[in-house]
Amino acid sequence: MYKIIDGKKIAAELRLKIKSDVSDFKKNTGRDIGLAVVLVGDNQASQIYVRNKIKACEEVGIKSFAYYMPKETSQNELNALISELALDENLHGILVQLPLPEHINSEEALKLIPESKDVDGFSANNIGNLCLNGKSLVACTPNGVMKMLEYEQINLNGKNSVVVGRSNIVGKPMAMLLLNANSTVTVCHSRTVNLKEHCLNADVIVAAVGKAKFITADMVKEGAVVIDVGMNKDENGRLCGDVDFENVKEKCSYISPVPGGVGPMTITMLMYNTYISASRSAN
């Protein structure tokens, strides 16, 4: 019998803890914790994400500063804003909402965010520290997955884990986190030969490939833990993940749904990273 990992419930419990920690920080330092969110352009999905992040800040007591820039914004204008925010002592986190308009070099802009304020966990230094199992701000989605596994007391020690997807945002940091938890990790991607065989050998599958219902029941062994990071639309226009949930769930010991799984954890971990950044700056 499978158990659904309720990301919404876990996120709610974590936010209560973060809210308490933020309150204690304010009492002990007499300062607010600040997060700057920069949105360039009028991408509708990005606008929704930004609103959700601002709402989460209000929920846990973090002060949010939103910067809305028109899609015609130049590289220099965006760079100048980020450089200014980097020097602001009232800000403990800076988030530039992706994707940026095509004429803007995202890598150039993101490099201007100091490692200590990189609450997305995307910087080369934070990724490097993660690889060394050192102190870092960890990318929010993979960190959220680890918190879900931890909450359910799923032992990763010595287990075979397969990450399907190798993006810098999810796949690669996910693999490092699993490796740091003493799991034996295989990273699969679009060029992988015999993907099905790799997945059938997995005790844990993290699907982050961005293809609707890509992981099917014949790819999952009995008793596996399946975490679905995907966010897609099915043939009827309904939200779905990378896993064929209805057909895969009966083979699992644990499975995360879409929606209501990893999604709520991502913004929660952004709040967590912002609090951690503030704590480190205070010390």
Side-chain angles (χ1 to χ4, degrees):
M1 179 67 183
Y2 66 90
K3 180 179 180 183
I4 292 177
I5 305 178
D6 188 344
K8 195 172 181 181
K9 176 187 174 185
I10 299 169
E13 291 187 18
L14 281 171
R15 288 192 193 192
L16 285 174
K17 174 66 166 63
I18 295 166
K19 183 177 181 178
S20 175
D21 290 339
V22 169
S23 177
D24 288 344
F25 177 91
K26 290 180 180 179
K27 289 174 186 174
N28 294 332
T29 65
R31 298 183 62 197
D32 284 316
I33 296 177
L35 172 66
V37 183
V38 180
L39 175 62
V40 184
D42 51 10
N43 181 290
Q44 191 172 6
S46 292
Q47 290 175 344
I48 293 170
Y49 291 142
V50 167
R51 282 200 299 270
N52 288 340
K53 287 164 185 175
I54 291 171
K55 184 178 177 182
C57 284
E58 291 172 357
E59 183 182 336
V60 301
I62 290 174
K63 197 170 183 180
S64 63
F65 300 84
Y67 297 86
Y68 299 97
M69 307 182 80
K71 62 182 177 181
E72 299 81 16
T73 298
S74 69
Q75 183 83 52
N76 287 341
E77 287 171 327
L78 176 59
N79 290 358
L81 174 61
I82 296 172
S83 298
E84 181 182 333
L85 298 176
L87 297 173
D88 190 336
E89 293 183 356
N90 295 312
L91 295 176
H92 304 94
I94 301 170
L95 183 150
V96 177
Q97 184 64 47
L98 301 176
L100 290 168
E102 289 184 4
H103 67 278
I104 292 180
N105 184 320
S106 302
E107 186 178 347
E108 180 182 329
L110 295 177
K111 276 183 178 178
L112 296 171
I113 301 174
E115 174 189 343
S116 61
K117 296 186 179 185
D118 170 37
V119 287
D120 262 333
F122 293 165
S123 75
N125 282 343
N126 275 321
I127 293 289
N129 289 334
L130 176 61
C131 291
L132 296 171
N133 202 8
K135 187 169 72 174
S136 64
L137 292 171
V138 181
C140 299
T141 298
N143 207 11
V145 171
M146 295 302 289
K147 292 292 184 185
M148 293 168 75
L149 295 171
E150 180 185 317
Y151 183 90
E152 296 293 349
Q153 298 182 325
I154 294 167
N155 182 16
L156 297 169
N157 191 41
K159 299 295 176 65
N160 292 323
S161 296
V162 167
V163 179
V164 186
R166 56 175 171 179
S167 71
N168 294 333
I169 294 172
V170 179
K172 290 175 183 174
M174 189 76 252
M176 286 299 107
L177 285 167
L178 290 166
L179 193 60
N180 291 344
N182 298 321
S183 187
T184 300
V185 183
T186 302
V187 180
C188 297
H189 46 80
S190 59
R191 303 294 177 89
T192 298
V193 178
N194 298 327
L195 173 63
K196 180 178 175 179
E197 283 79 357
H198 287 295
C199 289
L200 282 170
N201 190 45
D203 302 303
V204 178
I205 296 174
V206 180
V209 70
K211 294 184 179 179
K213 302 180 183 180
F214 182 77
I215 302 296
T216 50
D218 62 334
M219 300 169 71
V220 179
K221 76 175 184 180
E222 291 289 340
V225 176
V226 177
I227 305 293
D228 193 346
V229 181
M231 196 72 73
N232 313 290
K233 293 287 182 69
D234 65 12
E235 61 277 6
N236 299 313
R238 294 196 196 96
L239 193 63
C240 70
D242 290 350
V243 177
D244 183 6
F245 181 85
E246 289 302 322
N247 293 311
V248 168
K249 64 184 181 182
E250 298 294 342
K251 299 185 77 173
C252 300
S253 55
Y254 293 86
I255 186 169
S256 72
V258 175
V262 176
M265 296 297 294
T266 298
I267 293 180
T268 299
M269 298 318 296
L270 174 66
M271 300 299 105
Y272 174 79
N273 277 353
T274 306
Y275 164 72
I276 291 296
S277 174
S279 297
R280 288 175 182 170
S281 71
N283 292 328

